[in-house]
Amino acid sequence: MLKVGIIGWRGMVGSVLIQRMHEENDFESIDAHFFSTSQSGGKVRILKSQESTLLDAFDADELIKMDILLSCQGGDYTKKMLHPLREKNWSGHWVDAASTLRMNSDAMIVLDPINKEAIDKAIEKGNKNWVGGNCTVSLMLLAIHGLIKKDLVEWVSSMTYQAASGAGAQNMKELLIQMGELSGSLDNIKPDSSILDLDKDVQLMMNSERFTKKLFNAPLAGSLIPWIDEELENGQSREEWKGGVETNKILKSNGHKAFNVDGLCVRIGAMRSHSQALTIKLNKDYPIKEIELLIASANPWVNFVPNNKEKSIKNLSPAAVSGKLSISVGRVRKLNVGENLLSVFTVGDQLLWGAAEPVRRMLNILTNIKL
Ligand code: HSE
């Protein structure tokens, strides 16, 4: 069995990954070893059959004993450790959830329902670095997979509604604290309370010095934040830039027609599911019923939601989707503002298909071919 070293298994993405690996019995076909940046030597029970002794995640000599290293430890760890391992002539496979390597020419962004052929070819050619894509990119590509297969897309404008989980576990907690602080400021809520007075209390609380906003630097509960990640010189946020470049890299890798993607990325007070309102310019007129069919049947994960009020409210929201592998896709209709413009609203779990699932599946691809 291949030796697989897992780093960052305790974090949020790592925990979801381990959960999924148990669900799919992945541990039965690998010899798994767990590394820690802070508690090497300690014992953990992650595998059902035995306790594991944690290995030192900064010990290159231990790491190079692995055939595959899978890191959910974050970009700083990748920057620190991968190069020294390659310097030691380690020729194993590095599978990573962080963004650090994504745009490197020797790394492939993996989203196997879209680019499995390219992954197979890259394995044959000796590629060793595999990286999961940005969450909004992976979720969007799976949502509109049917249009991609038919090469129907000229461009996409994606307006995102991104959950707190994308910023990290501590940010999710900060969102909950903010929610608590806002509702705590409403102790005197009564059926006959004046809504304007209640609203004033909320407004005062979210803008007061004592409101908790150490991580987000702004109120998210009861509000939103229209910027995610760093500022780039062209006015885009880094998150918006990733949407375009990563989509193109994934599509081109597999010989699909690439298209431009741009739009505004916005953080909202959802917990772990990202939503996106897509405006899609089609390159030809196509009947709406056929578009619906293409989207609905593209892959096993699309949960197509007919464009009506009841089904949209019930099935097309973070509340309905979180914790599920399915990606809800709905509000599909032709827009009235121009020719061949389609609207799509899609919601997917940021920690599953948005982060852990593509790297879990890549690990399986590598272990199935036995290297
Ligand atoms: N960058 C994403 C976000 C998460 O901030 O929501 C990871 O892809």
Side-chain angles (χ1 to χ4, degrees), residues 70-364:
L70 194 164
S71 173
C72 296
Q73 184 66 34
D76 290 342
Y77 179 77
T78 304
K79 276 187 206 141
K80 187 176 163 81
M81 293 312 293
L82 180 58
H83 187 63
L85 298 180
R86 296 295 186 214
E87 290 276 283
K88 281 180 175 279
N89 290 327
W90 177 66
S91 60
H93 288 267
W94 179 272
V95 183
D96 204 332
S99 65
T100 316
L101 304 175
R102 280 187 201 140
M103 297 313 293
N104 290 7
S105 56
D106 65 352
M108 177 146 210
I109 306 179
V110 292
L111 186 62
D112 69 276
I114 307 278
N115 66 353
K116 175 70 165 53
E117 269 176 53
I119 291 171
D120 289 341
K121 279 192 199 140
I123 292 171
E124 263 179 50
K125 278 195 182 161
N127 188 71
K128 302 285 181 182
N129 298 331
W130 314 95
V131 194
N134 174 265
C135 39
T136 52
V137 170
S138 300
L139 293 169
M140 176 193 71
L141 289 176
L142 290 174
I144 61 167
H145 193 180
L147 305 178
I148 293 168
K149 283 185 186 172
K150 275 268 178 197
D151 278 346
L152 281 175
V153 180
E154 193 168 315
W155 52 254
V156 175
S157 175
S158 165
M159 299 297 182
T160 74
Y161 306 74
Q162 293 181 226
S165 59
Q170 296 310 320
N171 293 63
M172 291 173 83
K173 288 182 195 159
E174 185 166 285
L175 171 62
L176 291 174
I177 291 169
Q178 290 191 352
M179 287 172 174
E181 288 177 351
L182 291 187
S183 62
S185 70
L186 300 175
D187 285 344
N188 52 357
I189 191 160
K190 309 256 168 16
D192 60 348
S193 306
S194 152
I195 188 59
L196 293 183
D197 288 345
L198 293 172
D199 177 58
K200 200 164 130 206
D201 287 348
V202 167
Q203 183 68 7
L204 280 174
M205 174 49 102
M206 66 168 71
N207 288 302
S208 76
E209 286 299 317
R210 68 202 151 94
F211 193 61
T212 304
K213 44 182 184 285
K214 269 196 225 87
L215 300 173
F216 283 118
N217 296 315
L220 183 61
S223 189
L224 58 77
I225 304 174
W227 200 284
I228 296 177
D229 212 330
E230 296 160 9
E231 281 183 55
L232 303 187
E233 278 180 6
N234 67 358
Q236 280 182 308
S237 70
R238 192 166 186 79
E239 186 78 353
E240 290 152 7
W241 172 80
K242 284 179 185 173
V245 294
E246 291 189 21
T247 297
N248 272 277
K249 186 168 176 180
I250 294 170
L251 292 177
K252 281 184 188 157
S253 73
N254 217 53
H256 290 297
K257 195 159 79 62
F259 48 80
N260 288 331
V261 180
D262 201 0
L264 303 181
C265 291
V266 177
R267 184 79 67 205
I268 59 147
M271 286 296 277
R272 60 177 273 184
S273 286
H274 284 1
S275 309
Q276 301 182 63
L278 309 176
T279 299
I280 302 174
K281 174 76 174 173
L282 300 173
N283 52 27
K284 61 173 142 184
D285 191 22
Y286 216 74
I288 195 74
K289 283 285 156 219
E290 286 182 36
I291 288 174
E292 288 179 0
L293 206 62
L294 286 177
I295 292 177
S297 61
N299 61 52
W301 301 282
V302 167
N303 172 32
F304 187 79
V305 180
N307 184 33
N308 65 54
K309 182 176 176 181
E310 190 194 335
K311 292 208 160 78
S312 300
I313 290 176
K314 189 160 176 243
N315 302 310
L316 204 49
S317 69
V321 164
S322 288
K324 296 183 184 150
L325 274 171
S326 58
I327 296 166
S328 286
V329 188
R331 299 310 324 271
V332 174
R333 67 179 180 84
K334 296 269 181 89
L335 290 169
N336 294 321
V337 289
E339 293 290 297
N340 303 333
L341 289 172
L342 189 73
S343 72
V344 172
F345 192 80
T346 176
V347 192
D349 188 305
Q350 185 265 330
L351 296 172
L352 285 165
W353 267 114
E357 197 62 6
V359 293
R360 187 192 71 79
R361 291 170 64 94
M362 186 62 219
L363 178 62
N364 275 348

